[in-house]
Amino acid sequence: MKLSRAEYQDMLQKESPNSPLARDMLWAGLIGGLICVIGEVVSTFYKGRGLDTEMSGAATAITMVFLGALLTGLHLYDKLAKHAGAGTIVPITGFANAIVSPAMEFKSEGLVLGLAAKLFTIAGPVLVYGISASIIYGLILFFFPIA
């Protein structure tokens, strides 16, 4: 069956559902905002326990990565993402989801070749760049002190 460009466009229009853009944007904003509110609650909790701003920020980041990874492992993050769309791409929890998802998908291939190899598919380049940049920055500061 050979279709002309116009026939293909007509067929595509009939078969493609319209996206409820306003509803999708509302859900993305609400869920993304809720994730950020949870992060603020966690940060306030740590500050209330005596941590300073820097330490509470680190503890909050660790907690949010853990929660994102845990929800991904329990298959709840994907269900949330179906409704919230881009709202679940809040950087820290979205990054945790991006690391854990490929690892879970390939866990049937074993701990080393499946889980461990895929765990760093997304995180690997980020970690390599971050570590390399920090080493270069450290060397520059070591050889050319600011103060």
Side-chain angles (χ1 to χ4, degrees), residues 75-130:
H75 301 287
L76 296 175
Y77 205 86
D78 294 335
K79 291 177 184 176
L80 182 64
K82 284 182 184 176
H83 298 290
T88 57
I89 308 177
V90 174
I92 201 147
T93 55
F95 183 67
N97 176 264
I99 292 171
V100 174
S101 290
M104 287 180 49
E105 186 176 337
F106 290 92
K107 70 181 178 185
S108 64
E109 295 184 22
L111 285 176
V112 174
L113 296 177
L115 185 80
K118 294 299 179 183
L119 188 63
F120 295 105
T121 300
I122 301 279
V126 174
L127 294 172
V128 168
Y129 174 78

Side-chain angles (χ1 to χ4, degrees), residues 9-146:
Q9 289 298 328
D10 288 339
M11 187 174 74
L12 185 64
Q13 283 289 1
K14 290 178 187 174
E15 297 297 323
S16 297
N18 290 332
S19 176
L21 190 59
R23 187 193 76 194
D24 290 349
M25 290 187 330
L26 179 66
W27 272 111
L30 287 174
I31 299 300
L34 180 63
I35 292 171
C36 292
V37 166
I38 292 169
E40 279 299 314
V41 168
V42 170
S43 177
T44 303
F45 171 79
Y46 286 126
K47 286 178 185 173
R49 297 295 179 260
L51 294 179
D52 63 9
T53 302
E54 187 176 332
M55 290 302 292
S56 68
T60 300
I62 291 166
T63 302
M64 295 304 287
V65 167
F66 171 76
L67 290 175
L70 178 66
L71 291 175
T72 300
L74 296 173
H75 301 287
L76 296 175
Y77 205 86
D78 294 335
K79 291 177 184 176
L80 182 64
K82 284 182 184 176
H83 298 290
T88 57
I89 308 177
V90 174
I92 201 147
T93 55
F95 183 67
N97 176 264
I99 292 171
V100 174
S101 290
M104 287 180 49
E105 186 176 337
F106 290 92
K107 70 181 178 185
S108 64
E109 295 184 22
L111 285 176
V112 174
L113 296 177
L115 185 80
K118 294 299 179 183
L119 188 63
F120 295 105
T121 300
I122 301 279
V126 174
L127 294 172
V128 168
Y129 174 78
I131 291 168
S132 300
S134 65
I135 289 171
I136 292 169
Y137 183 71
L139 288 172
I140 290 170
L141 287 180
F142 180 77
F143 289 112
F144 304 103
I146 294 174

